[in-house]
Amino acid sequence: GESVGLHLPTLSVQEGDNSIINCAYSNSASDYFIWYKQESGKGPQFIIDIRSNMDKRQGQRVTVLLNKTVKHLSLQIAATQPGDSAVYFCAENINTGGFKTIFGAGTRLFVKA
Amino acid sequence: DVKVTQSSRYLVKRTGEKVFLECVQDMDHENMFWYRQDPGLGLRLIYFSYDVKMKEKGDIPEGYSVSREKKERFSLILESASTNQTSMYLCASSFSRQGDEKLFFGSGTQLSVL
């Protein structure tokens, strides 16, 4: 995931604009990637996922892009709404015999009305 | 809908106390996980379990232990709480061991150790 640190990256966008949140993952062997959204006072919730044999997947207003060459993930949110304000985490599933999910540090999205 | 329930939303404990954090899921999921979340550090995996009575260390297991006596319940134990264990604790579950399943999270327990 993103580099570990004390400062949470933030992104501020105007309502109605598109948002792009980026993430660098760590393990070349990871084969499943997920984006989660965490609203204040709640646990993270699944948004969209992508397997390593794909480079793009679309959901409702969201698109995830995967670039395995540079180990980069991005989440695109179309027509960003105030309800999209949250912290967004990318995550990768690493095979450990079973698997475990490793999270990035997160990006806080602010949507300005 | 899958429901993951954490027994307490807020807890305040004193240094040296033994602390139990409880988590229950209602969807017969095989896998359960405990994470802690600290500002700017994301979610860090403490322990996880793929089956009853089975446990695996995550990335930061020191100072913690876990118990999974029943499939639906996964407990995190702080044997002797310390101030550096003040954090948000998140429990999660998932269905399969195949590595292609998303996690379902509880709402978290904010633990303060004084």
Side-chain angles (χ1 to χ4, degrees):
Chain A
E2 297 98 332
S3 300
V4 172
L6 296 179
H7 300 288
L8 194 64
T10 60
L11 175 65
S12 183
V13 300
Q14 197 69 39
E15 182 179 359
D17 287 352
N18 296 334
S19 304
I20 299 176
I21 301 171
N22 295 303
C23 172
Y25 64 91
S26 58
N27 193 316
S28 301
S30 297
D31 57 9
Y32 179 62
F33 304 89
I34 318 102
W35 281 98
Y36 291 90
K37 173 186 180 183
Q38 186 177 26
E39 297 174 287
S40 181
K42 298 182 180 179
Q45 290 184 297
F46 170 84
I47 304 173
I48 191 168
D49 57 2
I50 188 168
R51 300 184 197 287
S52 59
N53 61 354
M54 304 169 68
D55 53 20
K56 180 179 181 178
R57 191 168 188 214
Q58 288 185 288
Q60 187 176 13
R61 281 202 308 118
V62 293
T63 301
V64 56
L65 299 177
L66 174 63
N67 185 329
K68 294 183 288 294
T69 302
V70 295
K71 294 192 285 185
H72 185 268
L73 268 174
S74 67
L75 176 70
Q76 301 178 1
I77 304 173
T80 312
Q81 302 168 359
D84 295 326
S85 293
V87 177
Y88 290 82
F89 294 96
C90 66
E92 58 186 302
N93 279 9
I94 297 174
N95 193 327
T96 61
F99 74 94
K100 63 179 183 179
T101 303
I102 302 300
F103 286 78
T107 296
R108 185 177 297 281
L109 176 65
F110 290 103
V111 181
K112 297 177 286 186
Chain B
D1 281 349
V2 174
K3 191 161 185 182
V4 179
T5 303
Q6 294 184 230
S7 55
S8 303
R9 186 72 182 92
Y10 298 97
L11 274 179
V12 180
K13 298 292 181 181
R14 296 197 178 278
T15 302
E17 279 193 77
K18 189 169 186 176
V19 182
F20 293 86
L21 303 183
E22 306 287 348
C23 175
V24 177
Q25 50 95 2
D26 66 358
M27 283 300 291
D28 203 36
H29 281 176
E30 292 188 10
N31 311 318
M32 296 189 75
F33 306 82
W34 276 106
Y35 288 85
R36 64 176 282 176
Q37 183 176 20
D38 300 287
L41 295 179
L43 281 71
R44 292 180 291 166
L45 183 62
I46 305 172
Y47 267 98
F48 56 107
S49 169
Y50 295 142
D51 203 349
V52 175
K53 296 193 187 295
M54 179 269 176
K55 60 184 178 183
E56 292 272 357
K57 292 181 180 180
D59 299 316
I60 52 164
E62 296 78 19
Y64 303 94
S65 62
V66 289
S67 172
R68 194 163 180 204
E69 295 296 318
K70 294 184 178 181
K71 191 174 185 179
E72 67 270 20
R73 185 180 297 271
F74 192 36
S75 303
L76 180 69
I77 303 156
L78 287 66
E79 295 289 341
S80 178
S82 63
T83 54
N84 64 11
Q85 292 178 309
T86 291
S87 186
M88 170 67 79
Y89 290 87
L90 289 161
C91 175
S93 70
S94 69
F95 178 67
S96 85
R97 298 192 194 186
Q98 301 307 313
D100 59 354
E101 289 285 333
K102 56 185 176 283
L103 299 178
F104 293 86
F105 282 88
S107 295
T109 296
Q110 180 63 52
L111 173 66
S112 297
V113 183
L114 307 178

